[in-house]
Amino acid sequence: RYSISGTVKYGTTNVGQADSFISGVNLNATGTASALAISDGSGNYFLSNLLGGNYTVTPTKTGEVRGINSLDATRIQQHLVGITTLTANQLIAADTDGNGVVNSLDATRIQQSLIGMQTPNIIGQWKFAPASRQYNALGGNATAQDYQAMLVGEVSGNWATAASFARDSEAKEEDSPSATNSQNDAAERFESEPAEQIAQNTKQSAASQSNESPTELLSPAADIQVSLPANATRSNGMTITIPISVSQIPAGTSIESFDFSVFYNPAVLQPAATPGSNTGTLSASCSVLPFSPVAGRVIVSGSCLQAITTGAGVLYNLTFNVTGASNQTSGLSFVNPANNTDTFQFNNGTPT
């Protein structure tokens, strides 16, 4: 009896980063006999008790979908214009429709997926190099039969270090009722006359109702401060533009992508037909897609072919229609009320 063994590594790990080993990969041997092995926490697998003969070993994996964000779309765009060159494994991850060609539509598909648009794609599927291995007349143990695993859509190589910033369709569905209830239960603290006030990040205290500086999402020591307006008043039937503002971009720092959600009270606000615009903003040269897949949440994906390296001011503008009755209010927040996680992210998390 013979064996086939090896290791499964993550295939798009960046140069200089330690290898990441993939567990939970099914390696299925078919042919003269059949066998199944599952890679362990160190990525190792071992197919044993194989008779001599011909075999095909095919790796497959599901789950552990993380690390996909707008920077992946940026990397594809940069590759297409020659700013950077994707490796063979990155090209596998970048082929979001599985047609064997990487083009601008693949970058668009990633952004559409991030904001909840339903489009034909294979984002989140696992691919392997090689896709399978052939063994003709196996007559001894085959060792070091290694594979590299790529997650389609995760081009920039941060799968192993990805934070909890994730917006798959299942999470969006779970967020919808929770977001609505949490916004209402929080009783966002804005008194109005015959109008609605919409406003500040829900982290701000009830005492902060006056005309103050915008609510900062991050601490003063953070790399870039991100803020929503402190307060605003509009009447039913009006529209309102909500600027997403950023502080001065530090020297040596750049923004190649940004991802965030804004949560609101859908009884008071509804996203406009065009829910956002980057005209005249710092992200004017970026590809920015806004979408509201569920009531109470607008998701924004920004991919910048040319990195933003200087400036301060409005990064992006959201637009809402005011639909609430007199004295109704809504808070605005980057924080997901369903799990209290911050959704705002630049690049792969740097700068903070």
Side-chain angles (χ1 to χ4, degrees), residues 7-11 20-25 39-44 61 64 126 128 149 159:
T7 302
V8 185
K9 296 180 180 179
Y10 193 59
S20 297
F21 299 95
I22 310 298
S23 63
V25 177
S39 62
D40 61 20
S42 299
N44 298 317
K61 180 177 172 60
E64 292 195 271
W126 287 90
F128 294 85
W159 174 84

mmCIF file of all heavy atoms in Angstrom, residues 7-11 20-25 39-44 61 64 126 128 149 159:
data_model
loop_
_atom_site.group_PDB
_atom_site.id
_atom_site.type_symbol
_atom_site.label_atom_id
_atom_site.label_comp_id
_atom_site.label_asym_id
_atom_site.label_seq_id
_atom_site.Cartn_x
_atom_site.Cartn_y
_atom_site.Cartn_z
ATOM 1 N N THR A 7 1.315 19.495 1.404
ATOM 2 C CA THR A 7 0.860 20.651 2.175
ATOM 3 C C THR A 7 0.074 21.595 1.274
ATOM 4 O O THR A 7 0.392 21.745 0.089
ATOM 5 C CB THR A 7 2.064 21.402 2.774
ATOM 6 O OG1 THR A 7 2.816 20.511 3.596
ATOM 7 C CG2 THR A 7 1.614 22.588 3.614
ATOM 8 N N VAL A 8 -0.927 22.254 1.851
ATOM 9 C CA VAL A 8 -1.707 23.258 1.129
ATOM 10 C C VAL A 8 -1.411 24.624 1.736
ATOM 11 O O VAL A 8 -1.620 24.835 2.937
ATOM 12 C CB VAL A 8 -3.218 22.973 1.188
ATOM 13 C CG1 VAL A 8 -3.965 23.979 0.313
ATOM 14 C CG2 VAL A 8 -3.524 21.544 0.749
ATOM 15 N N LYS A 9 -0.909 25.551 0.918
ATOM 16 C CA LYS A 9 -0.602 26.902 1.365
ATOM 17 C C LYS A 9 -1.518 27.903 0.668
ATOM 18 O O LYS A 9 -2.038 27.634 -0.421
ATOM 19 C CB LYS A 9 0.852 27.273 1.042
ATOM 20 C CG LYS A 9 1.895 26.441 1.765
ATOM 21 C CD LYS A 9 3.291 26.896 1.376
ATOM 22 C CE LYS A 9 4.368 26.074 2.077
ATOM 23 N NZ LYS A 9 5.727 26.508 1.683
ATOM 24 N N TYR A 10 -1.670 29.072 1.309
ATOM 25 C CA TYR A 10 -2.409 30.150 0.666
ATOM 26 C C TYR A 10 -1.557 30.718 -0.458
ATOM 27 O O TYR A 10 -0.370 30.989 -0.266
ATOM 28 C CB TYR A 10 -2.771 31.243 1.671
ATOM 29 C CG TYR A 10 -3.796 32.214 1.129
ATOM 30 C CD1 TYR A 10 -5.047 31.763 0.717
ATOM 31 C CD2 TYR A 10 -3.518 33.568 1.008
ATOM 32 C CE1 TYR A 10 -5.992 32.630 0.208
ATOM 33 C CE2 TYR A 10 -4.461 34.448 0.500
ATOM 34 C CZ TYR A 10 -5.694 33.973 0.097
ATOM 35 O OH TYR A 10 -6.631 34.834 -0.416
ATOM 36 N N GLY A 11 -2.139 30.933 -1.621
ATOM 37 C CA GLY A 11 -1.359 31.201 -2.813
ATOM 38 C C GLY A 11 -1.090 32.643 -3.144
ATOM 39 O O GLY A 11 -0.270 32.923 -4.026
ATOM 40 N N SER A 20 0.829 31.181 4.870
ATOM 41 C CA SER A 20 -0.380 30.776 5.578
ATOM 42 C C SER A 20 -0.775 29.395 5.080
ATOM 43 O O SER A 20 -0.815 29.146 3.867
ATOM 44 C CB SER A 20 -1.513 31.780 5.311
ATOM 45 O OG SER A 20 -1.183 33.053 5.801
ATOM 46 N N PHE A 21 -1.055 28.511 6.007
ATOM 47 C CA PHE A 21 -1.401 27.138 5.652
ATOM 48 C C PHE A 21 -2.909 26.950 5.789
ATOM 49 O O PHE A 21 -3.537 27.480 6.708
ATOM 50 C CB PHE A 21 -0.641 26.162 6.539
ATOM 51 C CG PHE A 21 0.850 26.288 6.395
ATOM 52 C CD1 PHE A 21 1.586 27.081 7.270
ATOM 53 C CD2 PHE A 21 1.512 25.650 5.362
ATOM 54 C CE1 PHE A 21 2.952 27.211 7.128
ATOM 55 C CE2 PHE A 21 2.886 25.783 5.209
ATOM 56 C CZ PHE A 21 3.607 26.564 6.099
ATOM 57 N N ILE A 22 -3.477 26.200 4.868
ATOM 58 C CA ILE A 22 -4.928 26.114 4.741
ATOM 59 C C ILE A 22 -5.420 24.779 5.291
ATOM 60 O O ILE A 22 -5.036 23.707 4.814
ATOM 61 C CB ILE A 22 -5.364 26.250 3.273
ATOM 62 C CG1 ILE A 22 -4.718 27.467 2.631
ATOM 63 C CG2 ILE A 22 -6.884 26.341 3.192
ATOM 64 C CD1 ILE A 22 -5.092 28.774 3.250
ATOM 65 N N SER A 23 -6.268 24.860 6.283
ATOM 66 C CA SER A 23 -6.906 23.662 6.820
ATOM 67 C C SER A 23 -8.275 23.471 6.172
ATOM 68 O O SER A 23 -8.790 24.371 5.512
ATOM 69 C CB SER A 23 -7.073 23.790 8.342
ATOM 70 O OG SER A 23 -7.931 24.883 8.651
ATOM 71 N N GLY A 24 -8.823 22.293 6.347
ATOM 72 C CA GLY A 24 -10.174 22.024 5.856
ATOM 73 C C GLY A 24 -10.280 21.840 4.359
ATOM 74 O O GLY A 24 -11.378 21.943 3.804
ATOM 75 N N VAL A 25 -9.156 21.567 3.692
ATOM 76 C CA VAL A 25 -9.193 21.278 2.266
ATOM 77 C C VAL A 25 -9.427 19.783 2.074
ATOM 78 O O VAL A 25 -8.708 18.957 2.660
ATOM 79 C CB VAL A 25 -7.883 21.707 1.570
ATOM 80 C CG1 VAL A 25 -7.908 21.336 0.088
ATOM 81 C CG2 VAL A 25 -7.652 23.199 1.747
ATOM 82 N N SER A 39 -6.928 18.434 4.939
ATOM 83 C CA SER A 39 -5.735 19.085 5.454
ATOM 84 C C SER A 39 -5.938 19.555 6.882
ATOM 85 O O SER A 39 -7.030 20.004 7.261
ATOM 86 C CB SER A 39 -5.346 20.271 4.558
ATOM 87 O OG SER A 39 -6.368 21.242 4.533
ATOM 88 N N ASP A 40 -4.890 19.466 7.697
ATOM 89 C CA ASP A 40 -4.992 19.820 9.107
ATOM 90 C C ASP A 40 -4.628 21.292 9.328
ATOM 91 O O ASP A 40 -4.479 22.061 8.374
ATOM 92 C CB ASP A 40 -4.112 18.912 9.961
ATOM 93 C CG ASP A 40 -2.621 18.996 9.609
ATOM 94 O OD1 ASP A 40 -2.205 20.006 8.993
ATOM 95 O OD2 ASP A 40 -1.866 18.070 9.971
ATOM 96 N N GLY A 41 -4.478 21.677 10.577
ATOM 97 C CA GLY A 41 -4.206 23.064 10.904
ATOM 98 C C GLY A 41 -2.895 23.582 10.362
ATOM 99 O O GLY A 41 -2.698 24.800 10.265
ATOM 100 N N SER A 42 -1.985 22.689 10.009
ATOM 101 C CA SER A 42 -0.713 23.088 9.401
ATOM 102 C C SER A 42 -0.726 22.936 7.895
ATOM 103 O O SER A 42 0.316 23.052 7.233
ATOM 104 C CB SER A 42 0.429 22.255 9.988
ATOM 105 O OG SER A 42 0.545 22.465 11.386
ATOM 106 N N GLY A 43 -1.914 22.658 7.338
ATOM 107 C CA GLY A 43 -2.057 22.498 5.903
ATOM 108 C C GLY A 43 -1.630 21.151 5.370
ATOM 109 O O GLY A 43 -1.644 20.926 4.153
ATOM 110 N N ASN A 44 -1.264 20.218 6.266
ATOM 111 C CA ASN A 44 -0.771 18.920 5.818
ATOM 112 C C ASN A 44 -1.917 17.948 5.545
ATOM 113 O O ASN A 44 -2.928 17.949 6.252
ATOM 114 C CB ASN A 44 0.148 18.312 6.882
ATOM 115 C CG ASN A 44 1.372 19.165 7.129
ATOM 116 O OD1 ASN A 44 1.984 19.674 6.199
ATOM 117 N ND2 ASN A 44 1.733 19.327 8.393
ATOM 118 N N LYS A 61 -12.449 23.117 -1.422
ATOM 119 C CA LYS A 61 -12.671 23.750 -0.126
ATOM 120 C C LYS A 61 -13.851 24.698 -0.224
ATOM 121 O O LYS A 61 -14.103 25.310 -1.262
ATOM 122 C CB LYS A 61 -11.433 24.536 0.332
ATOM 123 C CG LYS A 61 -11.600 25.237 1.692
ATOM 124 C CD LYS A 61 -10.326 25.935 2.124
ATOM 125 C CE LYS A 61 -10.556 26.785 3.369
ATOM 126 N NZ LYS A 61 -11.030 25.972 4.524
ATOM 127 N N GLU A 64 -14.660 29.955 4.991
ATOM 128 C CA GLU A 64 -13.544 30.844 5.343
ATOM 129 C C GLU A 64 -13.349 31.950 4.305
ATOM 130 O O GLU A 64 -12.223 32.275 3.924
ATOM 131 C CB GLU A 64 -12.249 30.048 5.533
ATOM 132 C CG GLU A 64 -12.272 29.138 6.760
ATOM 133 C CD GLU A 64 -10.898 28.652 7.144
ATOM 134 O OE1 GLU A 64 -10.483 27.591 6.621
ATOM 135 O OE2 GLU A 64 -10.236 29.330 7.945
ATOM 136 N N TRP A 126 -13.053 28.749 -3.933
ATOM 137 C CA TRP A 126 -11.632 28.421 -3.810
ATOM 138 C C TRP A 126 -11.137 27.740 -5.076
ATOM 139 O O TRP A 126 -11.790 26.840 -5.615
ATOM 140 C CB TRP A 126 -11.405 27.507 -2.612
ATOM 141 C CG TRP A 126 -11.531 28.204 -1.286
ATOM 142 C CD1 TRP A 126 -12.664 28.351 -0.539
ATOM 143 C CD2 TRP A 126 -10.485 28.874 -0.575
ATOM 144 N NE1 TRP A 126 -12.391 29.069 0.607
ATOM 145 C CE2 TRP A 126 -11.065 29.403 0.614
ATOM 146 C CE3 TRP A 126 -9.131 29.073 -0.805
ATOM 147 C CZ2 TRP A 126 -10.327 30.112 1.560
ATOM 148 C CZ3 TRP A 126 -8.387 29.781 0.129
ATOM 149 C CH2 TRP A 126 -8.981 30.293 1.292
ATOM 150 N N PHE A 128 -7.372 26.147 -6.959
ATOM 151 C CA PHE A 128 -6.094 25.554 -6.541
ATOM 152 C C PHE A 128 -5.122 25.469 -7.709
ATOM 153 O O PHE A 128 -5.510 25.351 -8.869
ATOM 154 C CB PHE A 128 -6.328 24.146 -5.964
ATOM 155 C CG PHE A 128 -7.113 24.149 -4.692
ATOM 156 C CD1 PHE A 128 -8.502 24.163 -4.729
ATOM 157 C CD2 PHE A 128 -6.470 24.180 -3.466
ATOM 158 C CE1 PHE A 128 -9.244 24.189 -3.558
ATOM 159 C CE2 PHE A 128 -7.199 24.214 -2.291
ATOM 160 C CZ PHE A 128 -8.591 24.218 -2.337
ATOM 161 N N ALA A 149 -3.650 27.451 -2.633
ATOM 162 C CA ALA A 149 -5.084 27.739 -2.658
ATOM 163 C C ALA A 149 -5.314 29.234 -2.846
ATOM 164 O O ALA A 149 -4.662 30.060 -2.201
ATOM 165 C CB ALA A 149 -5.734 27.271 -1.349
ATOM 166 N N TRP A 159 -5.940 37.671 3.138
ATOM 167 C CA TRP A 159 -6.883 36.686 3.684
ATOM 168 C C TRP A 159 -6.511 36.271 5.100
ATOM 169 O O TRP A 159 -7.358 36.213 5.987
ATOM 170 C CB TRP A 159 -6.927 35.451 2.780
ATOM 171 C CG TRP A 159 -7.753 34.330 3.335
ATOM 172 C CD1 TRP A 159 -9.106 34.173 3.242
ATOM 173 C CD2 TRP A 159 -7.287 33.191 4.073
ATOM 174 N NE1 TRP A 159 -9.509 33.026 3.872
ATOM 175 C CE2 TRP A 159 -8.402 32.400 4.395
ATOM 176 C CE3 TRP A 159 -6.019 32.773 4.489
ATOM 177 C CZ2 TRP A 159 -8.290 31.211 5.114
ATOM 178 C CZ3 TRP A 159 -5.916 31.590 5.201
ATOM 179 C CH2 TRP A 159 -7.043 30.834 5.507
#
